[in-house]
Amino acid sequence: MVVALFDKDCEDVFNEIASIEWEQEDGKFRATTKQFLVSLISSQPFYTNKVIDRAIRNLSLVQKNEQIIIHETNLELLNFVSENMPTYMKFIQQKISSNFPHKSKPLLDHQAYMTNILKLGELSPSYFNEIIMVIIEKLIKIDVDISRSPFAVDKDELFTFDDNQKLSEDEMTEKLDVVLSQFLQYMRDSTSEENIAQWCKVLLLGFDAHILKAHAPPNVPFILFYFFNIHSSLKTVLLDYFWSVFADKNQPAIIRQSGIMYLASFTNRSMSVGKADFKKIMLTTATWCHTYISNNDQISVKCNHTAFYAACQSLFYMFCYRHKEIFASSESKMFLDKIDLHLIVHCKLNPLKHCNPHILRMFNKLTSMYEIVACSAVIERNSRMLLPSTQLIGNEEYPFKHCLLKSTSKLIRPYFKDMECSNEFQSEFRQYKVSENFEDWDNVIGETSIAMSPDFQAMSL
């Protein structure tokens, strides 16, 4: 009876009620409040948006003793709306995104909000996809922000700097670490035979929408790395997806480049990718390169061949990273004949000119060592060219290179494959912590020091 009289003129009264932190009250008070609000939005739609906004905004509240709690009253309200008032679904999804705690908010706010929206996804599966997408989007923004070069600042920041408005990098890194590891553990513990397909689908959607287009985020892509390693039977889904991104001619060149770089790096670094899968991916990449060379024999080198150069570099990268597995097999010669590195290296398009210099040096040294293709003459000729490459792939870093987040790295480490190399190869990169388990390559590589990218060291996460 009371709510029937609760029209627009009672908005001030509602605001007073909404200002009460009923999440901190006892169970009876919360139950009464929930019953009142359910009745209110059922009979007075004018207040529905306000109730939804208040319920979502307060999901980040923590108890006075700084304990994170599940806000059952707010979650049940949102679940009621989704089941009985489906027209408000879009509004709820927008509010879940807009109320995500800003990066400047305390860590507990982020943990509380994450805990509660994930619980909402369990109560109301219709929210699940949107919640996972929002989490990925927000974590990517933090990841990119803390990994930016100190020189890569916004124009507005070039001439203004306020210490009070800037969070320390250590604080932001810790925040990302705790929240990302929280999400990975939730993902691990909540996946089952019934929902694993849904998880797989939404993670690929999140990758396509937010991760793929981001500029070299170093940590958040490990969400996919972790999921497809703990569910290794699905790894081919991810590998096929990366390849489809690269092979899609309708995609921009930079996106195709990212697709093949993700494929190569996952192939190199994932424990779930065995020798058979690795050789299959190398052969597929090499065959694509051979076809491209054949189809573009008469086309000007000045055309945009970014996808081709990215594929060649990734092929060289995979060869360098896992060359021991290739030559450990009695069928190594047959396999090398199939991938025909000589055809690729000496083709008119000259992929070595557009290769990352660190990968190039390693590839040159290894191919010379195994006597499978002569690169030195091509490299020497390229060094005499006056004009630099306009299609250099080396400016972009390969993903899954390292994870320097303390808690997150402990989850990633068991599934991460290192590249074995001697201390000689690490000397230029002492700023990175490396594994102690190396074989002595001195007799293999020789006395000449090879400049290596951080990609080529055995990283201890």
Side-chain angles (χ1 to χ4, degrees):
M1 288 295 293
V2 175
V3 294
L5 303 175
F6 227 81
D7 57 14
K8 294 182 180 180
D9 295 332
C10 299
E11 185 174 358
D12 290 339
V13 178
F14 171 81
N15 290 337
E16 286 297 320
I17 297 174
S19 66
I20 301 173
E21 292 187 359
W22 59 70
E23 295 85 359
Q24 309 283 5
E25 304 296 335
D26 59 34
K28 184 176 180 181
F29 185 91
R30 294 199 304 270
T32 303
T33 302
K34 174 198 163 187
Q35 184 178 0
F36 166 74
L37 292 174
V38 166
S39 301
L40 179 63
I41 61 178
S42 299
S43 60
Q44 300 289 349
F46 169 76
Y47 290 101
T48 304
N49 284 2
K50 296 178 179 295
V51 170
I52 291 173
D53 185 55
R54 194 256 181 231
I56 295 176
R57 187 173 65 251
N58 283 15
L59 291 179
S60 61
L61 290 179
V62 296
Q63 286 186 321
K64 294 176 181 178
N65 61 0
E66 297 191 342
Q67 293 240 333
I68 296 172
I69 58 172
I70 300 295
H71 296 300
E72 295 179 357
T73 303
N74 292 325
L75 296 177
E76 289 169 0
L77 274 171
L78 295 171
N79 189 41
F80 172 83
V81 173
S82 68
E83 292 178 350
N84 299 280
M85 308 169 76
T87 56
Y88 287 91
M89 285 289 294
K90 191 67 177 177
F91 179 75
I92 292 176
Q93 292 172 355
Q94 292 172 353
K95 286 298 178 181
I96 289 173
S97 178
S98 62
N99 282 287
F100 203 97
H102 187 265
K103 61 186 180 182
S104 62
K105 293 292 184 180
L107 173 58
L108 280 175
D109 288 12
H110 285 263
Q111 290 179 278
Y113 194 78
M114 175 91 77
T115 299
N116 280 282
I117 61 174
L118 289 172
K119 186 64 177 178
L120 176 61
E122 295 177 10
L123 293 174
S124 304
S126 53
Y127 295 130
F128 177 80
N129 282 11
E130 182 64 25
I131 287 170
I132 301 303
M133 295 282 280
V134 166
I135 290 172
I136 293 174
E137 177 189 8
K138 301 303 182 181
L139 293 182
I140 275 288
K141 289 181 178 179
I142 298 176
D143 197 15
V144 171
D145 189 51
I146 65 176
S147 63
R148 288 187 309 172
S149 164
F151 300 103
V153 296
D154 296 333
K155 291 181 180 179
D156 292 338
E157 298 174 348
L158 288 175
F159 303 104
T160 60
F161 189 90
D162 185 349
D163 288 331
N164 295 325
Q165 296 179 358
K166 296 291 181 179
L167 292 172
S168 72
E169 183 175 324
D170 289 343
E171 182 183 351
M172 287 299 298
T173 301
E174 180 188 8
K175 192 174 297 181
L176 177 63
D177 185 21
V178 172
V179 177
L180 180 56
S181 60
Q182 176 187 353
F183 179 71
L184 293 182
Q185 291 175 74
Y186 175 84
M187 182 173 66
R188 177 195 63 199
D189 297 339
S190 65
T191 48
S192 62
E193 292 184 5
E194 290 73 26
N195 66 11
I196 193 171
Q198 184 181 17
W199 267 104
C200 180
K201 181 179 179 180
V202 72
L203 288 177
L204 292 180
L205 287 172
F207 176 86
D208 190 73
H210 302 298
I211 300 177
L212 184 61
K213 298 175 178 64
H215 179 66
N219 301 298
V220 174
F222 277 104
I223 292 174
L224 268 76
F225 186 93
Y226 186 66
F227 179 84
F228 285 96
N229 270 282
I230 61 176
H231 302 291
S232 58
S233 61
L234 295 174
K235 67 178 180 295
T236 54
V237 175
L238 182 63
L239 295 170
D240 289 345
Y241 169 75
F242 287 151
W243 180 259
S244 70
V245 171
F246 167 72
D248 185 357
K249 295 180 180 179
N250 296 320
Q251 291 277 18
I254 189 66
I255 298 298
R256 297 182 68 188
Q257 174 182 324
S258 294
I260 195 68
M261 292 175 78
Y262 270 100
L263 174 67
S265 199
F266 187 85
T267 299
N268 284 343
R269 299 184 180 278
S270 172
M271 286 288 192
S272 68
V273 181
K275 183 189 293 187
D277 291 322
F278 155 65
K279 294 176 74 172
K280 180 181 178 181
I281 292 165
M282 275 202 71
L283 182 58
T284 300
T285 306
T287 302
W288 184 94
C289 293
H290 298 159
T291 303
Y292 191 94
I293 292 169
S294 176
N295 293 341
N296 292 272
D297 187 53
Q298 303 302 321
I299 294 180
S300 171
V301 178
K302 294 181 180 180
C303 295
N304 190 334
H305 301 290
T306 300
F308 171 73
Y309 294 131
C312 292
Q313 176 176 284
S314 294
L315 184 67
F316 303 156
Y317 176 42
M318 289 186 283
F319 173 84
C320 293
Y321 204 92
R322 300 183 66 165
H323 65 97
K324 288 189 175 182
E325 294 177 55
I326 296 175
F327 290 96
S329 169
S330 59
E331 300 176 348
S332 60
K333 187 178 185 307
M334 185 185 303
F335 176 73
L336 290 169
D337 288 342
K338 289 180 180 179
I339 63 174
D340 198 351
L341 294 173
H342 182 276
L343 172 64
I344 297 171
V345 168
H346 293 276
C347 74
K348 179 182 176 181
L349 295 174
N350 193 5
L352 294 187
K353 181 184 177 184
H354 308 275
C355 189
N356 177 296
H358 305 306
I359 294 177
L360 178 61
R361 292 187 188 104
M362 176 69 91
F363 182 70
N364 178 38
K365 207 69 177 177
L366 290 174
T367 53
S368 175
M369 177 185 78
Y370 290 117
E371 298 181 347
I372 55 175
V373 59
C375 300
S376 299
V378 179
I379 294 172
E380 179 64 24
R381 184 177 69 245
N382 289 340
S383 68
R384 293 196 296 267
M385 293 182 180
L386 297 178
L387 294 177
S389 168
T390 58
Q391 300 180 56
L392 184 65
I393 309 302
N395 292 329
E396 298 296 328
E397 291 188 355
Y398 278 86
F400 309 131
K401 186 173 66 174
H402 54 81
C403 179
L404 300 180
L405 303 178
K406 185 176 180 180
S407 298
T408 304
S409 65
K410 291 178 181 178
L411 297 170
I412 302 299
R413 176 73 263 180
Y415 308 101
F416 192 88
K417 180 190 289 288
D418 291 321
M419 177 182 178
E420 295 181 348
C421 57
S422 70
N423 293 332
E424 176 186 356
F425 289 91
Q426 304 159 34
S427 58
E428 299 183 28
F429 297 94
R430 296 183 191 219
Q431 66 270 36
Y432 293 89
K433 184 179 178 182
V434 293
S435 171
E436 297 177 356
N437 298 319
F438 303 113
E439 293 184 10
D440 184 4
W441 280 20
D442 291 342
N443 296 327
V444 178
I445 303 301
E447 297 298 325
T448 305
S449 175
I450 299 175
M452 271 177 54
S453 161
D455 259 341
F456 285 123
Q457 42 155 350
M459 192 70 62
S460 179
L461 295 176

